[in-house]
Amino acid sequence: MERGVQLESSDKSSYIDASRWHGHENCLNQMFTLYREKVNSLICVYNSLTGTFPIGVMNELRDVMTHMTQSLLYQEEEKVVQHLYKAQRHLKRAVVDAFKYVSMAYSDEYDAFLETYKNVDLSYIDNGELLPKLTRLNSEAEQLMIEAKMIESDIHEDDQMYAAYERCFNRYSELYDCMINAIEDADRLKLRAAEEAKLKEKEHRTDRTIGIIGVAVGVIGVVIGIIGFII
């Protein structure tokens, strides 16, 4: 059998020294807070919606860990600062990518919602305000996504990209919450529509049966009349 990857190393120079992070606590706290409050929660949302993990985000997190590890392997303060800065940039990019991934997942949920309830009269929900609100939120979210992509392609400035994709995500999140809040009423209307369709089909079958019987009775009457005439 092929041996597994050996993780232990006899190279003592590769051992980390966490004391090299002294003086950088503020930067580290910002990074850990950003990961805990943004990246991790967005990954959880995306995973719950799609059953998969956002590959782009995971790749950025791998780069974050690479630079944080490198920052502990160098003696020079300049190298420590350099790698922590790069780790911070990759983490912010991870958040940007997470905003994009979840926004697209919410967009897919919107399409699925419309498909699921395409035969349901949703105008009965929220006094007819649901559909116009969903349409408006989706349109605004799509426009914000376009604007964010333009900033990403033309400017490549981290803070502006972050802010643009966060605005887009917030609008898609509002759209998703609106759908979730309407699902119970939409399901009730869908069930009612299905029951009404079933009742109409039953009535149609009954009318058709009565019609067939009526025709049959008429034919029988004609036949009897002809036989009586002949006799």
Side-chain angles (χ1 to χ4, degrees), residues 116-117 119-126 183-201:
T116 299
Y117 301 106
N119 296 321
V120 178
D121 187 357
L122 298 178
S123 64
Y124 286 102
I125 301 177
D126 292 340
I183 281 181
E184 184 176 349
D185 289 334
D187 282 340
R188 189 181 300 113
L189 289 172
K190 185 177 182 180
L191 178 61
R192 183 189 302 172
E195 291 175 346
E196 290 176 352
K198 186 183 297 184
L199 180 60
K200 288 182 179 179
E201 176 61 24

Side-chain angles (χ1 to χ4, degrees), residues 12-182:
K12 301 299 183 182
S13 65
S14 66
Y15 287 1
I16 67 171
D17 181 3
S19 67
R20 295 170 191 171
W21 279 350
H22 288 173
H24 303 287
E25 288 81 5
N26 186 50
C27 172
L28 293 168
N29 284 332
Q30 289 179 1
M31 291 176 62
F32 293 141
T33 299
L34 191 60
Y35 173 78
R36 184 181 69 251
E37 295 182 355
K38 295 292 185 181
V39 180
N40 188 54
S41 60
L42 289 169
I43 289 175
C44 290
V45 170
Y46 184 80
N47 179 251
S48 67
L49 290 174
T50 67
T52 62
F53 288 94
I55 300 301
V57 178
M58 308 308 287
N59 287 336
E60 292 292 341
L61 292 179
R62 182 188 62 186
D63 290 336
V64 170
M65 289 303 301
T66 297
H67 285 294
M68 292 188 73
T69 301
Q70 290 295 320
S71 73
L72 294 174
L73 296 178
Y74 282 97
Q75 297 287 344
E76 303 89 343
E77 176 68 9
E78 180 182 352
K79 292 289 187 180
V80 175
V81 172
Q82 183 183 64
H83 282 289
L84 285 179
Y85 172 73
K86 289 182 178 180
Q88 197 171 31
R89 288 199 64 183
H90 280 292
L91 184 59
K92 184 162 286 189
R93 183 63 198 226
V95 181
V96 169
D97 285 350
F99 282 146
K100 286 192 286 187
Y101 272 94
V102 178
S103 293
M104 289 299 92
Y106 282 156
S107 179
D108 290 341
E109 289 294 310
Y110 174 70
D111 293 338
F113 180 88
L114 295 183
E115 178 64 24
T116 299
Y117 301 106
K118 63 182 179 181
N119 296 321
V120 178
D121 187 357
L122 298 178
S123 64
Y124 286 102
I125 301 177
D126 292 340
N127 298 317
E129 296 181 2
L130 176 65
L131 278 178
K133 184 176 181 180
L134 289 177
T135 301
R136 174 179 60 80
L137 289 173
N138 183 65
S139 178
E140 292 174 355
E142 288 180 342
Q143 181 59 38
L144 287 171
M145 176 62 76
I146 293 173
E147 293 174 4
K149 288 183 176 180
M150 290 178 64
I151 290 175
E152 183 177 11
S153 63
D154 294 340
I155 301 177
H156 298 291
E157 205 283 320
D158 291 348
D159 290 337
Q160 290 191 39
M161 282 196 301
Y162 184 100
Y165 278 110
E166 185 174 32
R167 287 193 295 271
C168 175
F169 163 78
N170 287 338
R171 189 66 79 249
Y172 270 116
S173 182
E174 189 177 353
L175 172 66
Y176 181 74
D177 288 342
C178 185
M179 288 188 295
I180 291 299
N181 292 334

